Amino acid sequence: MLRVAVVGSGPSGVYTAQALVQQTAVPDVWVDVLDRLPCPYGLVRYGVAPDHEKIKSLQGTLRTVLEHERIAFVGNIEAGTPELPPQRLLELYHAVVYCVGAATDRRLGIPGEDLPGSFSATEFVSWYSAHPDADPGGFALGVRSAVVVGVGNVAVDVARVLARGARELLPTDVPKGALDLLSGSTVREVHMVGRRGPSQAKFTTKELRELGGLPDASVRVDPAELALDPAYGDPSGLPTALRRNVEVLRGWADAPPAVRGRTLRLRFHLRPVELLAEAGRVAAVRFERTVPDGLGGVRGTGAYEDIEAQLVLRSVGYQGMPLPGLPFDPARATVPHAGGRVLRDGRPSAGEYVAGWIKRGPTGVIGTNRPCAKETVGSLLADAAALARREVADDPLGALRESGLRPVEWPGWLAIEAAEAALGASLGRRSVKIADWTGLLDAARDVRS
């Protein structure tokens, strides 16, 4: 028997567990999928916008994997704490695969970034996704104008939620507190701003097109600003996905502006240089106009523009964070590895592996985690004979309980699901997420062992 702990129950962790039990080279592999939260699915539960039902339906696929007879979900267990350092996990399991993702946002590194009213997009996403670490009242939406810095899919998501009417979110699982605040939102302008041109934006065409279909918001683009991008005039040489993005933007530029409740402005070739304050809060963002530098990047022109904003959300990429007890490369914000094997002082550490964003950086889509997990599992299986000779605990979960930890196992998660369904029914809605630690653990307590 080979006992493996997978730390993290998002797509990378679940795909790693699936690859371990589906392979036939090493029989009798048992996997415990550990997660700090009492709920599985990682960013599929806490990072996908509530109005993206198709992507959220991936939870069904992940659920099937976690219900496998040789896979156990073990929530409310945090690795890297004094109670459960990496060395302790190696005493409990033959191998440990860390799939802990990239837990924070990159910063802009400009003056005023920490002013009240300035947040990371991840904080906003966590808030409307009911992450129990989020401040339920942390976002005051009684403002007129918001700026989203970034032009990737996360930026599109948060801009869309800000511009969408609250009644359109009523059928989703948005927590009640967030829905109440969104219902009272006075935001009338949302600016989504990128430092480069439209042909270099990171959003997907599907996400972009959704902005044009919002019933209570109109999209505005500036044709002169778009034309700063050399590929805008003739996008035929672009890859298909980027060409389609440009075509969507060209269509909006050529169409007469619609008049709706909110205005969503897509801006390009503007680089943030400072957040400006008024009465101790953010009041505007100062941008420098950029132009292509001929090398695939942009350069500043020395011309500046201030955009009013009482709410600023930065969305310029995720970043991995060190897990205490594991080596970490601060330059790449990943755990150093070779084929998924964790490297300590440049040498593979027996029994320790990584997969997902903490292995390769925050790149790719959800499906990218499959080949990433497969590579790591291949390395682990190649080491299996040596790993299996190590003495480990007969009952890892029993050992965790004896140390004072209180795991939430699969029946506890099912109890949370049932409680969220009941909460939704009481509000005349579908299932509504429980947004706090106490509520989640109380929901699981009757079956938690």
Side-chain angles (χ1 to χ4, degrees):
M1 176 185 294
L2 192 70
R3 290 192 177 276
V4 180
V6 172
V7 180
S9 66
S12 64
V14 175
Y15 292 153
T16 297
Q18 183 181 41
L20 282 165
V21 299
Q22 285 185 342
Q23 56 79 34
T24 58
V26 178
D28 209 18
V29 179
W30 293 74
V31 184
D32 288 346
V33 179
L34 313 182
D35 203 291
R36 184 177 72 88
L37 298 172
C39 310
Y41 312 137
L43 282 180
V44 177
R45 175 173 167 92
Y46 289 118
V48 174
D51 55 348
H52 274 180
E53 293 292 338
K54 185 174 181 180
I55 301 175
K56 289 174 72 68
S57 69
L58 177 62
Q59 291 185 24
T61 301
L62 303 181
R63 180 193 196 97
T64 299
V65 175
L66 292 174
E67 289 178 334
H68 190 281
E69 62 181 3
R70 286 188 283 120
I71 296 176
F73 170 72
V74 188
N76 198 38
I77 297 295
E78 184 173 3
T81 63
E83 296 77 20
L84 194 60
Q87 186 56 43
R88 177 58 176 156
L89 282 173
L90 287 176
E91 296 170 358
L92 300 176
Y93 296 93
H94 294 107
V96 184
V97 186
Y98 292 92
C99 305
V100 293
T104 189
D105 288 71
R106 292 176 181 166
R107 292 178 60 83
L108 298 173
I110 61 176
E113 187 169 8
D114 294 319
L115 281 168
S118 170
F119 303 90
S120 72
T122 295
E123 291 175 290
F124 191 63
V125 171
S126 294
W127 172 72
Y128 66 60
S129 297
H131 195 293
D133 289 342
D135 180 354
F139 288 90
L141 299 180
V143 301
R144 199 192 77 80
S145 180
V147 163
V148 180
V149 180
V151 284
N153 278 346
V154 175
V156 173
D157 281 348
V158 299
R160 189 182 65 253
V161 169
L162 284 169
R164 189 182 282 285
R167 68 175 181 274
E168 301 164 53
L169 294 172
L170 193 63
T172 73
D173 60 5
V174 168
K176 182 179 184 301
L179 186 64
D180 289 346
L181 287 175
L182 287 165
S183 298
S185 170
T186 59
V187 174
R188 288 296 170 263
E189 286 202 330
V190 180
H191 307 259
M192 190 171 74
V193 188
R195 65 186 178 86
R196 298 196 291 180
S199 71
Q200 297 168 312
K202 300 298 185 182
F203 42 61
T204 58
T205 307
K206 179 180 179 297
E207 292 262 3
L208 180 64
R209 283 178 175 150
E210 287 179 346
L211 298 179
L214 299 177
D216 293 325
S218 57
V219 177
R220 303 285 179 87
V221 295
D222 183 346
E225 196 168 77
L226 298 174
L228 293 172
D229 186 335
Y232 180 73
D234 180 13
S236 61
L238 293 173
T240 301
L242 297 180
R243 185 178 71 251
R244 288 173 177 165
N245 287 345
V246 170
E247 289 169 352
V248 171
L249 292 166
R250 288 170 67 94
W252 288 338
D254 294 339
V259 179
R260 295 175 186 156
R262 292 184 172 99
T263 302
L264 179 54
R265 301 184 186 275
L266 274 62
R267 305 292 307 274
F268 297 93
H269 284 293
L270 291 171
R271 177 169 58 200
V273 295
E274 185 178 2
L275 271 60
L276 306 178
E278 183 177 298
R281 293 183 53 85
V282 65
V285 184
R286 177 159 294 167
F287 291 92
E288 182 182 17
R289 170 66 64 193
T290 67
V291 293
D293 62 5
L295 301 173
V298 293
R299 60 175 177 82
T301 63
Y304 296 90
E305 176 181 347
D306 295 348
I307 298 179
E308 177 194 352
Q310 300 83 33
L311 173 65
V312 177
L313 301 173
R314 68 175 184 274
S315 180
V316 291
Y318 291 99
Q319 182 169 302
M321 295 291 290
L323 189 146
L326 275 187
F328 189 72
D329 180 348
R332 294 181 174 85
T334 58
V335 171
H337 72 94
R341 294 181 178 92
V342 171
L343 299 178
R344 291 184 180 271
D345 298 322
R347 307 178 77 172
S349 175
E352 294 185 309
Y353 304 85
V354 285
W357 279 358
I358 200 63
K359 169 188 173 184
R360 68 181 190 274
T363 61
V365 295
I366 289 175
T368 310
N369 289 295
R370 284 191 182 275
C372 177
K374 185 176 180 180
E375 179 192 48
T376 295
V377 168
S379 295
L380 190 158
L381 296 176
D383 302 337
L387 296 173
R389 290 194 290 268
R390 295 179 51 246
E391 290 189 12
V392 297
D394 292 331
D395 179 11
L397 294 190
L400 291 173
R401 294 188 196 97
E402 288 175 4
S403 66
L405 301 177
R406 302 185 64 193
V408 171
E409 298 178 62
W410 194 250
W413 159 240
L414 297 181
I416 291 172
E417 278 193 321
E420 292 182 337
L423 175 60
S426 73
L427 297 171
R429 299 169 57 192
R430 297 191 300 182
S431 181
V432 172
K433 286 179 183 174
I434 297 171
D436 64 285
W437 277 99
T438 299
L440 289 170
L441 294 177
D442 282 350
R445 73 181 184 274
D446 291 337
V447 293
R448 192 175 61 208
S449 52

